[in-house]
Amino acid sequence: MGFIPLKPIPEKDRMSMIFIGMGQIDVRDGAFVVIDEVNGERMHIPVGSVACLLLEPGTRISHAAVKLAATVGTLLIWVGDAGVRLYSTGQPGGARSDKLLYQAKLALDDSLRLKVVRKMFELRFGEEPPSRRSVEQLRGLEGARVRKTYQLLARQYGVKWNGRRYNPTEWGASDVPNQCLSAATACLYGITEAAILAAGYAPAMGFLHTGKPLSFVYDIADIVKFETVVPAAFRVAARNPPMPEREVRIACRDAFKQARLLQRLIPMIEDVLSAGDIEPPPPPPEAVPPAIPEPPSIGDAGHRS
Amino acid sequence: MAMLVVVTEAVPPRMRGRLAIWLLEVRAGVYVGDVSKRIREMIWEQVQALAEDGNVVMAWASSHESGFEFQTYGRNRRQPIDYDGLRLVRFLPEEHN
């Protein structure tokens, strides 16, 4: 008995993320390994059981390893120091044209887009936004609330807070609370992007945010940011540890686990989009169905293999 | 989601690598993880397909009286037996050829 295919498992059954900071990433006996050539050590990564792998400077990855990550539906993200700058990601989206067209239809129609944005507002602040407001006005309301929430949480955790200030090109330039927040949001964006891709949607097609490769990721991540990563970042910042990024990641992983975020993200994405109250468009009657239909998979809708 | 343990003996390296895709190999041939029923069944399919002449036991936490269940693949001196509805293990004598 030889070949048995390898398939992705659902996002909700996975751990959140693993950062890899050095070593040669390869495949040995079919398993995903990180090899430290200096010490001759080999570390197994349960690649199929994590939502995303964040590869920091100092890693090299083989073709076989990239293929394996793709096969098990795990998002690879190439990031800069502390995961703050994002260089590239390795899981092609757009596996589901019906989902993409649905998302595009919601984003293109102003009244549908407003419905989606209102739903985001509602999920985020736990109350319906005031009626008859434009997306622009809702954004203003949101900004004011966000500034207040930062101040409130900073005071609660005893952190000196001068506002959210950061320079993406100079990691060390901002103060410790801002560094912690940048590292923490990077973690959240990683798993959110993995969830969006797994659900079959496009990370770039945002509703509140626009013009960035991760606009929709920011939209979705913002809904849960202040209940998960912001308190985690402030808690770490309050202790002022020598290696804040490391501590932040551990705190984020705990926060994700506690909030059951991996289980919630995909249903939340569907919930937000369903606020538009339209059905995903059916294929046009003259369209050609697949010659070889996709076999049933235990993974999520957007997983390719 | 429930705790899962897989112990393998004399299985081909590619099966050990395959298990390491989802589980953690804490000792040679001993794998641990926390998975849902669906994933456990998927992993068992992989075991059955790839174990060849080796033998495997898989145990997982459940709401049974004992708190866990287990199943085996292949031949081993330790054999599961049903003892008044409770699954125990019988240890066969060594075979002399």
Side-chain angles (χ1 to χ4, degrees), chain A residues 163-168 170-180 182:
Chain A
R164 182 81 176 106
R165 291 195 187 96
Y166 58 95
N167 180 351
E170 251 186 288
W171 158 248
S174 47
D175 57 10
V176 173
N178 270 297
Q179 281 181 19
C180 289
S182 299

Side-chain angles (χ1 to χ4, degrees), chain A residues 44-68:
Chain A
H44 274 156
I45 304 281
V47 63
S49 289
V50 286
C52 60
L53 289 176
L54 293 103
L55 310 182
E56 292 181 297
T59 57
R60 287 161 164 247
I61 186 163
S62 73
H63 187 285
V66 174
K67 175 174 179 254
L68 179 57

Side-chain angles (χ1 to χ4, degrees), chain A residues 1-2 4 13 29 46-49, chain B residues 17-18 20-22 36 46 49-50:
Chain A
M1 187 55 212
I4 176 156
D13 289 336
D29 294 332
V47 63
S49 289
Chain B
R18 184 58 71 92
I21 302 270
W22 305 282
S36 67
Q46 308 265 342
L50 299 170

Side-chain angles (χ1 to χ4, degrees), chain A residues 154-202:
Chain A
R155 199 171 329 130
Q156 193 184 326
Y157 289 99
V159 173
K160 196 165 158 279
W161 183 244
N162 298 313
R164 182 81 176 106
R165 291 195 187 96
Y166 58 95
N167 180 351
T169 55
E170 251 186 288
W171 158 248
S174 47
D175 57 10
V176 173
N178 270 297
Q179 281 181 19
C180 289
L181 274 169
S182 299
T185 47
C187 298
L188 178 60
Y189 295 154
I191 61 166
T192 308
E193 185 176 12
I196 288 172
L197 289 169
Y201 296 106

Side-chain angles (χ1 to χ4, degrees), chain B residues 23-40:
Chain B
L23 307 171
L24 213 58
E25 189 172 7
V26 289
R27 282 291 183 271
V30 182
Y31 299 81
V32 184
D34 184 31
V35 303
S36 67
K37 176 170 183 259
R38 232 172 156 194
I39 306 309
R40 185 182 74 228

